[in-house]
Amino acid sequence: MSWIKEGELNLLEKISANILKAGPMPKHVAFIMDGNRRFARKKHLERQEGHTKGFNKLAETLRWCKHLNIPEVTVYAFSIENFKRTKEEVDGLMALAKQKFEKLLEERENLEKHGVCIRVLGDLNMLPLDLQQLIAKAVVTTRNHNKCFLNVCFAYTSRYEITNAVREMAWGVEQGLIKASDVSEALLSECLYSNRSPNPDLLIRTSGEVRLSDFLLWQTSHSCLVFQSVLWPEYSFWNLCEAILQYQLNHKSIQEARDLHREEQALEQLEADRACVAEHLQHQGNNGKPPDAQKRREVLQRYIASREARVQDFLQALKHKRNSFFLDLCSEMVLN
């Protein structure tokens, strides 16, 4: 099945969608697509067929999101923990992924028409080289599309992502791009795989499980979490509407929590900057006289400007490093 499923909503779905869109709508929805294997057992199918049905449901869900004006979707496609499954199942999932990314590349014109940008989040080095190259080709081919975004978390766990972000900041310090004092919660967020996306407004997990299973732990601290009992291949438009309604009912408290967190984060950064400036002035000395308030303000402003410039240079270097990884894989694909 195509990644982009064409077709309009039926009349009842259109009416319901318009009613929902009269309220606050999530701009970014994340899915833990759980229940493919249980669906296969329930329907007496092979496991692989369950995973195939799950992918088909993703294509259908993306169509619903498009009609609901939800521009960004993130899905948990393959956890690092899934490598512990049987070799037969892991090989089957890798083959399915390869088949679907090949299909995606065949649909380049359709992706361009709809402006779909594909991003793959995770440690691609864990995957077979041919699959890495296909993924890189899909990412590079669609990177300039900007109407809607599909983030596929593959060879991913949140703890691994956070650990990798810490490694990236350590690399920045080692390279002299940033100082240890520049490390902050905000900077860590910018070093995550998901740094180009806003945090999800709504996270949905199917199959009745009520765990996050190491998915977007950092990004969903102020998101609406909805757990639904339906198995993923049986997910419906009405299940999605129910989840969005839950988001709308909780929208005010979620927004208040986000606003408060932003204010606290800004205050923490200001206090950290002041502490660095105070230490600098203490070491600099001033003939035994404490600097006046005007001088402290001037030094603080200069320090903030220099820190922000360092951070931006570091983030540009990090972006270049990550882009080069994908471009190098594409080059290897052409050479082969």
Side-chain angles (χ1 to χ4, degrees):
M1 178 183 277
S2 167
W3 285 69
I4 307 298
K5 191 172 181 181
E6 302 286 353
E8 295 295 322
L9 301 178
N10 64 41
L11 181 58
L12 185 56
E13 289 171 342
K14 283 182 180 178
I15 293 170
S16 301
N18 288 335
I19 293 171
L20 275 180
K21 286 189 284 188
M25 289 293 290
K27 297 299 182 186
H28 182 184
V29 178
F31 291 94
I32 301 177
M33 307 178 293
D34 196 16
N36 292 341
R37 296 196 294 176
R38 272 172 279 177
F39 173 81
R41 286 197 299 270
K42 176 182 172 182
K43 297 293 184 180
H44 307 290
L45 302 171
E46 293 292 329
R47 259 184 198 170
Q48 194 62 16
E49 183 63 20
H51 292 305
T52 300
K53 294 286 186 184
F55 174 82
N56 294 345
K57 182 56 62 176
L58 170 60
E60 194 171 8
T61 303
L62 293 175
R63 178 174 69 89
W64 299 330
C65 289
K66 176 176 174 288
H67 286 295
L68 288 164
N69 298 338
I70 298 170
E72 186 150 7
V73 172
T74 298
V75 296
Y76 205 0
F78 190 85
S79 166
I80 291 172
E81 296 297 313
N82 291 155
F83 282 113
K84 297 176 183 177
R85 294 181 180 180
T86 65
K87 184 178 185 303
E88 179 185 8
E89 185 174 2
V90 171
D91 288 347
L93 286 166
M94 293 298 140
L96 178 63
K98 183 179 177 184
Q99 173 193 340
K100 296 309 178 183
F101 276 101
E102 286 173 342
K103 178 68 175 174
L104 183 146
L105 289 170
E106 291 172 7
E107 299 179 317
R108 274 176 279 193
E109 290 184 7
N110 203 21
L111 292 169
E112 186 175 358
K113 170 188 166 186
H114 292 283
V116 181
C117 175
I118 304 291
R119 298 171 181 152
V120 180
L121 316 181
D123 188 349
L124 300 192
N125 289 307
M126 296 182 178
L127 305 176
L129 181 58
D130 57 350
L131 179 54
Q132 289 185 46
Q133 291 170 336
L134 282 170
I135 287 172
K137 184 71 172 175
V139 168
V140 171
T141 299
T142 65
R143 64 183 172 180
N144 293 323
H145 300 172
N146 59 11
K147 290 182 182 175
C148 50
F149 303 88
L150 173 61
N151 307 310
V152 181
C153 293
F154 210 99
Y156 173 94
T157 64
S158 190
R159 284 175 293 180
Y160 190 95
E161 177 184 31
I162 294 167
T163 302
N164 183 69
V166 172
R167 281 196 294 260
E168 299 287 26
M169 290 188 293
W171 171 79
V173 173
E174 289 169 3
Q175 297 294 314
L177 296 167
I178 53 174
K179 298 178 179 180
S181 58
D182 297 332
V183 172
S184 65
E185 180 184 327
L187 183 58
L188 193 149
S189 294
E190 292 289 341
C191 295
L192 296 172
Y193 296 134
S194 61
N195 68 312
R196 288 175 292 175
S197 300
N199 290 336
D201 300 301
L202 170 63
L203 183 145
I204 299 168
R205 179 168 188 160
T206 57
S207 88
E209 295 288 346
V210 289
R211 299 172 289 114
L212 291 181
S213 296
D214 214 347
F215 180 56
L216 301 181
L217 301 180
W218 184 277
Q219 297 89 334
T220 57
S221 58
H222 299 102
S223 302
C224 179
L225 310 182
V226 176
F227 300 96
Q228 298 176 299
S229 59
V230 61
L231 300 177
W232 175 250
E234 297 176 324
Y235 203 69
S236 72
F237 176 79
W238 305 111
N239 294 131
L240 179 57
C241 289
E242 177 194 16
I244 292 171
L245 184 58
Q246 285 293 317
Y247 166 76
Q248 292 179 334
L249 291 171
N250 292 282
H251 175 262
K252 184 178 178 182
S253 61
I254 291 169
Q255 198 56 51
E256 286 174 352
R258 286 183 169 183
D259 291 344
L260 180 60
H261 178 253
R262 274 194 293 269
E263 290 171 9
E264 290 173 344
Q265 197 176 56
L267 184 59
E268 287 172 6
Q269 183 63 67
L270 180 59
E271 289 302 318
D273 289 340
R274 282 175 173 161
C276 288
V277 167
E279 184 178 359
H280 170 74
L281 289 173
Q282 186 177 8
H283 287 144
Q284 187 182 51
N286 192 30
N287 297 324
K289 298 178 182 178
D292 59 32
Q294 178 64 27
K295 181 175 181 182
R296 286 199 302 270
R297 280 195 297 270
E298 290 173 357
V299 175
L300 178 61
Q301 289 170 356
R302 288 198 298 272
Y303 177 81
I304 291 173
S306 64
R307 174 181 56 75
E308 290 176 346
R310 284 194 303 272
V311 166
Q312 286 307 310
D313 288 344
F314 161 65
L315 292 176
Q316 280 298 115
L318 182 58
K319 180 180 178 182
H320 177 74
K321 184 171 76 161
R322 291 179 173 179
N323 286 344
S324 296
F325 173 79
F326 286 103
L327 291 170
D328 289 347
L329 279 172
C330 288
S331 298
E332 290 173 15
M333 189 177 186
V334 171
L335 291 173
N336 292 337

